[in-house]
Amino acid sequence: VGTVWDQFLMSEAVDDAGALKVRQALLAGEGARTEIQVRNRHGGQSWIDLDIQPVRTDAGVVSGFIAIQSDVTQQVLMRQRLAAIFHAVAAGIVVHDESGKIIDCNPEAERVFELSRSNLIGRQATDPRWRPIGFGQFPQHPASPRRAGAHDL
């Protein structure tokens, strides 16, 4: 429990947007949780998951804050690597949620389907309008601007 988190964020934070989010919450007497990039004691940069909540007196006045932080550097770096692969791979990737709804896609999927990301998001994998494909063909949805035969290799 302490009251020096704003000083910590000003001196340790590398991620100005994350620090600003926490600082605004603290000034409003509210809690906040975010992943924030900070300088570690060796001068390098690390990522922490920071959950900071106000401690109040019986009268409801903020008397300090309690914070729990966890080093999530490896998880953040792995997410960044996977995102770079997802966007750069030369294969169309479409991500579905448990109901079969498209929740994400990479640029190659946009190219293959000739639909923008915003036009793919929300579509169902089981949509009966998706046409089956044969060898050497790309999948096609009726919303795609492709002409008949234009998808043959």
Side-chain angles (χ1 to χ4, degrees):
V1 176
T3 58
V4 296
W5 279 98
D6 194 50
Q7 294 169 0
F8 163 79
L9 290 172
M10 288 173 35
S11 65
E12 301 292 330
V14 174
D15 176 9
D16 291 335
L20 180 62
K21 175 185 173 182
V22 173
R23 192 173 294 119
Q24 288 173 335
L26 296 179
L27 291 173
E30 300 170 354
R33 182 170 184 185
T34 190
E35 285 183 355
I36 187 168
Q37 192 174 24
V38 297
R39 278 184 281 287
N40 61 34
R41 64 179 172 256
H42 306 293
Q45 296 178 1
S46 300
W47 284 89
I48 61 169
D49 174 50
L50 175 63
D51 186 357
I52 185 166
Q53 299 297 322
V55 175
R56 299 182 186 277
T57 65
D58 290 339
V61 176
V62 175
S63 61
F65 295 91
I66 187 165
I68 299 173
Q69 68 181 34
S70 303
D71 184 340
V72 292
T73 303
Q74 293 307 311
Q75 293 93 322
V76 170
L77 294 175
M78 181 58 72
R79 280 197 315 259
Q80 291 172 345
R81 282 191 291 272
L82 291 174
I85 292 168
F86 179 75
H87 288 10
V89 71
I93 300 173
V94 177
V95 181
H96 302 269
D97 68 8
E98 61 279 349
S99 72
K101 184 174 71 173
I102 297 173
I103 58 172
D104 202 1
C105 67
N106 70 348
E108 186 63 13
E110 292 179 84
R111 188 190 72 73
V112 167
F113 289 111
E114 289 188 347
L115 292 172
S116 68
R117 183 178 186 279
S118 62
N119 284 325
L120 283 168
I121 300 299
R123 294 184 186 270
Q124 290 289 327
T126 57
D127 186 331
R129 297 175 296 170
W130 289 105
R131 294 190 341 201
I133 60 171
F135 180 75
Q137 296 178 320
F138 291 112
Q140 187 175 2
H141 191 277
S144 173
R146 256 188 205 145
R147 295 179 311 280
H151 55 279
D152 293 336
L153 290 177

